[in-house]
Amino acid sequence: MYFPVFIDLSQKKVLVVGGGAIASRRVGTLSGFAGHITVQALEISEEIRSLAAHFPIVLRREAFSPEALLGMDLVLAATNDPELNCRIAKLSREQGIPVNVCSKKEECDFFFPSVIQRGDLVIGINASGKNHSLVKKTRQELEEFLEK
């Protein structure tokens, strides 16, 4: 079991490695919370590029290199390459940076929750990385409840 923690990311530097669908969802969620997001990938989705026009997001269209970790407070490895994601996790841990790996829950220092935000209310939903359908169902039920 993982303990839920809410942290202030407004002054933290967050690196998201990857520019596809999973990275897009993560950046979309983080954009309302993090003050400094860097997305590094050879290809970056239109959704992320659009978010970068409205939020403090730096886009680096280049392959991952260990130097990208310098000065980062949090890392999300969200590429479509599981071996690269594990390499990013190993390098992040060596530098004492908490990391989330989209392709292998065993490599995660933390899980990225499903987030519902209504004004000052923030709800994070997680099932220890084991049951994504339960998380989705719970989110839908909570959103319906909050609309009442």
Side-chain angles (χ1 to χ4, degrees):
M1 297 294 271
Y2 282 70
F3 181 78
V5 174
F6 287 80
I7 59 173
D8 178 3
L9 293 177
S10 64
Q11 300 301 312
K12 302 293 185 193
K13 293 180 180 177
V14 179
L15 174 64
V16 178
V17 183
I22 292 173
S24 296
R25 287 194 304 271
R26 305 266 165 102
V27 171
T29 300
L30 284 169
S31 63
F33 298 93
H36 309 280
I37 301 171
T38 299
V39 176
Q40 186 164 348
L42 291 173
E43 294 183 32
I44 298 174
S45 73
E46 176 60 38
E47 182 179 351
I48 293 173
R49 290 193 308 261
S50 177
L51 286 165
H54 303 287
F55 294 97
I57 300 171
V58 174
L59 303 179
R60 290 188 185 153
R61 289 188 174 107
E62 56 193 44
F64 172 77
S65 64
E67 293 80 22
L69 299 173
L70 295 175
M72 293 298 165
D73 298 301
L74 197 68
V75 174
L76 285 81
T79 77
N80 60 359
D81 181 343
E83 288 181 24
L84 175 58
N85 289 341
C86 287
R87 181 171 164 248
I88 293 166
K90 179 182 182 294
L91 292 168
S92 296
R93 270 195 214 88
E94 287 173 357
Q95 295 187 35
I97 306 169
V99 62
N100 172 273
V101 178
C102 74
S103 56
K104 191 171 185 184
K105 66 179 181 177
E106 296 81 13
E107 292 289 326
C108 294
D109 293 324
F110 65 94
F111 291 129
F112 198 90
S114 179
V115 176
I116 299 172
Q117 183 178 8
R118 299 288 188 275
D120 290 335
L121 176 67
V122 178
I123 301 169
I125 307 163
N126 186 278
S128 297
K130 296 178 184 174
N131 192 336
H132 298 295
S133 61
L134 175 61
V135 171
K136 183 177 180 178
K137 179 178 183 239
T138 302
R139 179 191 176 113
Q140 291 169 339
E141 290 173 356
L142 283 170
E143 286 178 328
E144 288 174 16
F145 174 78
L146 292 171
E147 289 175 8
K148 295 178 183 178

